[in-house]
Amino acid sequence: MSKEFGEIKIPKEIIRKIEERIDETEFKSADEYIIFVLEEVLKEEDGEEPEEVLSEEDEQKVKERLRALGYLD
Amino acid sequence: MIVVLAIDALEYTLVEEFNCKNLKQRFYGKTNIKEFSEPKTMVLWSSFMTGKNMEKEIVARGDKEMWNTELDMEDTFFRSFKNPKIIDLPGFSYIKEQHEQERRMLKYYFDAQSEEEKKNIRTEYNNLAFLHHRRIKQEFSTALQGDYDFVLGYFSVADVIGHLNFGNGSMMKLIYRDLDEIAGTINHTLIVLSDHGMERVGIFGDHSNYGFWSTDLKDLGNPKITDFADMIKEIPEVN
Amino acid sequence: MNNENLKFVIVGHVDHGKSTLIGRLLYDTGSLPEGKIEEIKQICESLGREIEFGYVMDHLEEERDQGITIDTAQTFFNTEKRNYVIIDAPGHVEFVKNMISGASQAEAAVLIVDVEEGVREQTKRHAYILGMLGLSQVIVVVNKMDLINYDQKRFESVKKDILKFLLDISIKPSYVIPISAKKGDFIANKISKMNWYDGPTLLEALDIFKTKESANYKPLRFVVQDIYNFDKRIIVGRVESGVIKKGDKIKILPSGEETRVKSIEEYLKNVTEAEAGKSIGITTEDKLFIDRGNVVIHNGDMPAVTDRIMANVFWMDRTPFKIGERLMFRCSTQEVSCEVEKINRVINSSTLELIAEDATEIKNREVANIVIRTDKPVVVENFNKIEELGRFVLGREDTCAGGIITEPEQ
C-alpha cells in the first residue's frame, strides 16, 4: 500500500466515538484505527467473488447440455 | 377468444418465487414431460400442438434440421378454430432467421476464448433477444385486438436470455415481471404453458425436466404436454 | 442540515404504490446506488418498458435477502433539512409490535391512496392503526395522478372521502398531496400539469414535520428504582423525562408528599443536575417514605395516579390471555399485579380485521383495546404525552404483551 496520505473529512462525532473505543485497544490513534478498519473492509470486498465471474466448469457443463438440446450444432 | 401464452423455459419455481399472479391464474402447476428423453424445445412444442409425442419424428431430422420443422395446420389442434393466429411457435410459425441468429451467437459465445470477447457477445446476444421480445410483444398485443378465435403467442425471452444469464437475479426477475404483465393484459380465456423450465448452472441456465401450466378453468393436476390439444379443443368457446 | 432523524412509515393498500414511492424518494434524493439503477434501467429499456421504482426496491430487497447490502427495513435518505428513516416493516404484525414495544418508533406517517381506486378497506385499517398507535403527524398522498391525466375533480373527490374517514378516527392529516410516484410528480419536483394544486411537495411537507421532542423538554419524571441507606439516604432511579436539579422543589407520587432536592449523586461525579435518560441518585431535604416504583415530579404538571387504565396491547405469547387471569403490570420500575377488567376490541394484527368486541380472550399476535385495573395505584401517562411512562408490558413469568396507554383514568 502506498505510504502517501490524502485527506478525508470524517464527522467529529465518529472520531469522538473511535477515540472512546481505542482506549481499551492496541490502536494508538483514531487514524490507525480507521486505516485498519478500511483495509479490512476492502480486503473483504476484494475477496468476494463477483456474480459475473464465470466458472469454466459451469461453462463446460452448459455447453454440453446445450449441444445435447440441439442449440449448438 | 382463447389465448395461449406459450413461454419457453418458464420456470415453476421462479413463478412462485416472484409471485407472478397473472401467470399463475387460479390453477397452476408443473407439467410432466418425463416421457421425453431430453426436454428439447422443438420436440415439446410439436408434441403440444399435435397432441402426440413427436420426439422420434423430430429427433430423426437431426439437431440442425429439426429447427426447420413446419407442421401443417391439419396436423395440429389449431384446425379446430376458424381464425387462429399463431405467433412465432417453434414447429409452426417459427421466425427461423431470428432464432438461427440467436443460436449462432450462442455458439460464438462458447467458442470465444477471451472473457472480453464473451462479454461483448453476451451483450449483443441479449440485445438481439430483447429486440425480438419487444417485437413479439407488439405483435401479440395487436393480435389480441384482432378478430381471431384463437391466439397463441410464443415468447422465447426467458429461454434465450436464461441460457446465458439465469444466474442474474435482477434480469430474470424483470423478465418474469414483464411476462406477468403481459399475462395481465389478457382478458380472454387464457392458458399459460411452457415447454420446460430452467435450472441454474452458475450464471447459465439449463432446461429443467418439467414445464409450467396455468388456467382459470380447472385444476389440471400434473398434465402431459400432449394433453393440452384435447383440453383446449374442449373449452366451450371453441364450439 | 442538522443531525436530527425523522422516522416515518408509509402505509396504505398493498397495490397503491408504496414500494414505488419508496424507490422514488430514494431516487430523487440521490440515495440509491447508481450502478444498480443504471443496470435496472437498461434491462427495463431492453424489455420495452419504463423503469419502475418498485423494481429498484425489489432489487434492494433481494440484496438484503442475500445479505449483500443495506437493510431495507430501515431505509435512509436526506433532504437539505435533515435525515429521514423510512421504517418499512415486513408486515403489519411487526410494525404494530415494533411500535408498541418501542423498537422502532415512527414519528410520522404517509398514507398512500391510489386515485383510481380511492379509499379501500385496507386503507382504512392502516389509517385506523395509525390512530391507535397515536401517530398524529400524517400526510396523505393521492398517488397515480398521471393515470387520470392529473384531473383535479377526481383528486378532490378522493380527498373528500379520505378526510371524512380520517375525521371519524380523529386523524387530521397535515397535507393531502396529489402525486405520481412513478413519474416523480410532487415528490421532490412540482409540475405545471397540476398548477391547480398550490401545496407543498411530499419532501417539502415532510420537512415541515417535527422530530420527536427531546425528553429533556418534557415534565420531570424520575422513577425510583431503589433506596440505598449509606451514610446518607440515596434515592436511586432513572430520569425518564425532564431535568432534575439540586434545590428543585419536588413531589413524590403516589403519596403526594413534597420536599426539595438536597443533592444529585452520580457515581464518581460531582453534579448538580441530571437530564432525561440518566440513571442517578438524589438525596432529599426531608426524610420521606419512598419506595421502588414511586415517581418524583416537579409541582404543577401532574401525571395520572390511577388504578384504572385504558390501553392498546399487542399480545405476543402463544398462550392466549383469558379474562380473569391475573398478570403483572410493569411500567418503568413500577410493578404491580393487575387484572383486565374489559376487552373492548380485539383486532387481527395481520389483516387488521376486527375479531371481536367486548371479548373474553386475546390470542397471539392480536391487538386489543383493554381496560386494566391495577391492585395499587400506578403513576402513568398518556403515551402521546410522555411515552416513557405511557408504555408498559404485561407479564406472567415472562413478558407476554406490550402496550401503550391511551387513557389513564383518574
Side-chain angles (χ1 to χ4, degrees):
Chain A
M1 173 173 251
S2 158
K3 286 291 171 198
E4 277 178 32
F5 291 88
E7 269 184 31
I8 279 180
K9 284 184 182 158
I10 292 174
K12 278 190 178 152
E13 174 68 4
I14 294 180
I15 297 176
R16 193 185 58 73
K17 280 187 186 158
I18 292 172
E19 282 168 346
E20 270 176 29
R21 186 173 289 193
I22 60 176
D23 276 349
E24 296 153 16
T25 68
E26 58 195 24
F27 292 107
K28 292 188 187 76
S29 66
D31 295 15
E32 205 177 297
Y33 179 91
I34 291 166
I35 290 170
F36 173 80
V37 170
L38 291 178
E39 278 175 358
E40 286 302 303
V41 171
L42 292 171
K43 241 190 257 171
E44 256 174 52
E45 287 192 356
D46 289 343
E48 263 176 27
E49 256 201 0
E51 202 182 341
E52 289 285 318
V53 161
L54 312 174
S55 127
E56 277 196 20
E57 202 181 315
D58 291 341
E59 187 169 327
Q60 207 46 46
K61 188 175 163 195
V62 165
K63 194 173 167 181
E64 276 160 29
R65 286 291 299 143
L66 289 177
R67 184 162 287 130
L69 293 168
Y71 284 89
L72 312 168
D73 50 271
Chain B
M1 185 189 283
I2 292 175
V3 180
V4 172
L5 199 49
I7 304 177
D8 206 306
L10 187 72
E11 170 55 40
Y12 176 91
T13 48
L14 287 196
V15 173
E16 279 286 31
E17 189 183 325
F18 303 148
N19 193 20
C20 304
K21 288 183 185 155
N22 301 319
L23 289 174
K24 287 207 273 197
Q25 305 191 79
R26 228 177 117 202
F27 305 102
Y28 65 99
K30 291 178 180 174
T31 59
N32 180 350
I33 53 170
K34 287 189 184 132
E35 62 185 294
F36 302 95
S37 58
E38 290 283 4
K40 288 188 178 180
T41 289
M42 187 55 80
V43 169
L44 291 162
W45 291 117
S46 301
S47 304
F48 156 73
M49 66 185 123
T50 56
K52 59 182 191 199
N53 186 326
M54 296 283 284
E55 184 166 33
K56 222 170 170 179
E57 199 177 327
I58 302 289
V59 170
R61 295 171 183 233
D63 278 348
K64 196 164 184 181
E65 190 46 36
M66 78 167 173
W67 296 106
N68 296 325
T69 303
E70 228 171 277
L71 297 173
D72 195 281
M73 174 82 86
E74 285 310 305
D75 296 329
T76 71
F77 76 85
F78 308 146
R79 69 172 186 275
S80 314
F81 295 89
K82 286 194 193 80
N83 192 16
K85 169 81 175 171
I86 316 294
I87 302 167
D88 198 17
L89 185 66
F92 193 82
S93 53
Y94 201 43
I95 304 168
K96 285 181 209 151
E97 308 72 42
Q98 165 73 23
H99 300 293
E100 227 173 75
Q101 173 73 358
E102 289 160 4
R103 290 195 301 277
R104 209 175 300 136
M105 292 192 62
L106 203 56
K107 190 168 166 4
Y108 291 158
Y109 177 89
F110 287 104
D111 288 345
Q113 296 303 313
S114 74
E115 288 298 317
E116 186 62 27
E117 210 182 333
K118 282 187 193 295
K119 198 179 152 198
N120 291 338
I121 296 171
R122 172 186 297 187
T123 307
E124 213 180 308
Y125 171 87
N126 289 353
N127 287 343
L128 182 74
F130 281 130
L131 176 66
H132 183 62
H133 175 69
R134 297 202 295 273
R135 282 194 196 127
I136 296 294
K137 257 205 308 195
Q138 187 56 51
E139 193 179 344
F140 183 64
S141 147
T142 310
L144 291 179
Q145 313 299 322
D147 186 23
Y148 303 105
D149 54 351
F150 181 80
V151 172
L152 181 148
Y154 167 77
F155 290 85
S156 58
V157 67
D159 182 71
V160 180
I161 294 291
H163 280 308
L164 288 193
N165 306 273
F166 201 64
N168 182 338
S170 332
M171 193 178 275
M172 294 316 291
K173 192 170 192 172
L174 284 170
I175 289 172
Y176 275 64
R177 281 282 185 99
D178 197 50
L179 292 167
D180 190 50
E181 278 184 32
I182 295 170
T185 60
I186 301 165
N187 298 317
H188 307 277
T189 304
L190 171 68
I191 313 277
V192 178
L193 186 67
S194 76
D195 45 354
H196 50 78
M198 191 161 268
E199 58 194 30
R200 187 175 168 173
V201 181
I203 187 77
F204 307 103
D206 182 16
H207 292 183
S208 62
N209 56 4
Y210 50 81
F212 174 91
W213 66 266
S214 83
T215 165
D216 268 339
L217 300 171
K218 60 179 176 185
D219 189 352
L220 304 177
N222 186 215
K224 294 204 267 187
I225 198 162
T226 46
D227 294 343
F228 285 85
D230 282 344
M231 196 277 274
I232 292 169
K233 278 193 289 187
E234 279 160 23
I235 297 172
E237 280 182 56
V238 180
N239 305 313
Chain C
M1 191 179 72
N2 59 33
N3 278 331
E4 61 177 16
N5 281 314
L6 186 121
K7 289 184 171 185
F8 72 100
V9 62
I10 301 179
V11 297
H13 189 280
V14 62
D15 295 327
H16 288 189
K18 194 175 103 171
S19 126
T20 306
L21 178 59
I22 297 176
R24 171 58 76 176
L25 281 167
L26 298 182
Y27 183 71
D28 281 5
T29 52
S31 317
L32 284 168
E34 214 154 283
K36 292 293 169 201
I37 298 283
E38 273 314 306
E39 189 192 329
I40 291 169
K41 209 170 177 178
Q42 214 176 353
I43 304 173
C44 284
E45 275 167 18
S46 296
L47 287 163
R49 54 188 315 139
E50 279 178 59
I51 183 163
E52 285 193 19
F53 291 97
Y55 300 163
V56 178
M57 292 317 292
D58 273 358
H59 181 80
L60 293 177
E61 268 164 35
E62 199 175 297
E63 294 204 332
R64 175 186 63 181
D65 291 345
Q66 294 165 12
I68 300 174
T69 48
I70 54 166
D71 177 6
T72 46
Q74 296 234 323
T75 308
F76 302 86
F77 69 88
N78 53 51
T79 62
E80 278 178 16
K81 187 176 177 195
R82 65 179 159 220
N83 301 317
Y84 286 91
V85 183
I86 306 173
I87 299 171
D88 187 20
H92 313 135
V93 182
E94 279 71 20
F95 174 60
V96 176
K97 187 175 163 184
N98 291 348
M99 283 291 287
I100 285 186
S101 67
S104 59
Q105 277 290 330
E107 295 153 81
V110 174
L111 177 65
I112 189 165
V113 185
D114 181 329
V115 70
E116 283 196 310
E117 302 228 328
V119 177
R120 300 287 291 269
E121 198 51 37
Q122 208 175 44
T123 317
K124 291 186 178 179
R125 288 191 208 138
H126 282 202
Y128 177 78
I129 214 152
L130 296 181
M132 192 192 99
L133 294 170
L135 267 168
S136 53
Q137 303 195 101
V138 177
I139 295 172
V140 176
V141 289
V142 179
N143 193 22
K144 306 193 188 178
M145 288 299 294
D146 55 310
L147 296 184
I148 57 151
N149 219 3
Y150 304 98
D151 180 29
Q152 181 181 6
K153 267 193 195 150
R154 190 73 168 275
F155 167 74
E156 294 295 346
S157 144
V158 172
K159 179 177 169 179
K160 204 174 127 195
D161 283 353
I162 186 87
L163 287 179
K164 183 171 174 291
F165 169 70
L166 292 179
L167 189 69
D168 287 346
I169 54 171
S170 307
I171 292 181
K172 273 191 218 142
S174 312
Y175 301 97
V176 182
I177 310 173
I179 64 159
S180 163
K182 188 174 168 184
K183 302 275 180 196
D185 304 331
F186 278 87
I187 307 298
N189 303 309
K190 299 189 178 185
I191 50 153
S192 58
K193 280 178 189 154
M194 284 196 279
N195 53 16
W196 45 262
Y197 168 77
D198 58 3
T201 63
L202 175 57
L203 284 173
E204 285 169 347
L206 281 168
D207 273 351
I208 297 164
F209 275 164
K210 290 194 187 91
T211 49
K212 207 158 56 179
E213 191 188 4
S214 159
N216 282 347
Y217 302 121
K218 293 182 188 172
L220 172 69
R221 302 294 183 253
F222 173 69
V223 185
V224 178
Q225 274 163 358
D226 212 344
I227 317 292
Y228 297 153
N229 281 305
F230 300 126
D231 48 337
K232 48 192 174 186
R233 189 162 180 266
I234 301 176
I235 302 152
V236 181
R238 187 179 140 93
V239 185
E240 296 289 1
S241 63
V243 179
I244 189 165
K245 294 191 182 99
K246 183 180 172 181
D248 277 357
K249 196 171 174 199
I250 53 169
K251 184 185 259 189
I252 318 296
L253 294 177
S255 73
E257 285 180 292
E258 295 183 11
T259 181
R260 277 186 191 276
V261 178
K262 196 170 161 191
S263 69
I264 307 276
E265 309 280 331
E266 202 178 339
Y267 185 62
L268 293 179
K269 279 185 185 162
N270 192 7
V271 294
T272 55
E273 64 172 58
E275 58 181 24
K278 287 263 181 194
S279 288
I280 49 138
I282 60 168
T283 60
T284 53
E285 282 181 0
D286 308 292
K287 197 175 174 187
L288 302 174
F289 180 75
I290 298 180
D291 208 355
R292 178 182 165 88
N294 285 178
V295 179
V296 175
I297 64 166
H298 288 139
N299 257 331
D301 197 317
M302 282 280 289
V305 181
T306 178
D307 61 358
R308 211 158 170 267
I309 295 158
M310 193 191 279
N312 291 324
V313 294
F314 183 83
W315 198 259
M316 38 192 159
D317 193 277
R318 289 233 172 96
T319 314
F321 169 78
K322 287 199 168 55
I323 211 138
E325 183 186 349
R326 296 192 63 78
L327 296 166
M328 287 307 290
F329 172 93
R330 299 187 185 97
C331 173
S332 190
T333 61
Q334 305 175 83
E335 194 174 289
V336 293
S337 66
C338 73
E339 62 178 23
V340 174
E341 204 174 82
K342 195 157 185 267
I343 303 172
N344 291 325
R345 276 189 305 282
V346 180
I347 292 158
N348 176 325
S349 71
S350 168
T351 63
L352 305 181
E353 273 165 42
L354 179 70
I355 294 170
E357 281 185 280
D358 202 4
T360 54
E361 72 169 357
I362 315 167
K363 294 201 282 291
N364 197 14
R365 296 183 151 207
E366 288 174 353
V367 172
N369 178 267
I370 61 174
V371 178
I372 296 168
R373 167 84 71 178
T374 53
D375 286 3
K376 285 190 296 186
V378 284
V379 183
V380 290
E381 297 274 3
N382 184 309
F383 177 78
N384 281 330
K385 192 176 156 204
I386 299 183
E387 65 186 59
E388 291 76 9
L389 284 182
R391 183 187 298 137
F392 65 92
V393 296
L394 294 175
R396 295 170 175 137
E397 279 178 4
D398 290 320
T399 297
C400 46
I404 57 178
I405 295 165
T406 54
E407 231 173 285
E409 294 183 15
Q410 300 290 349

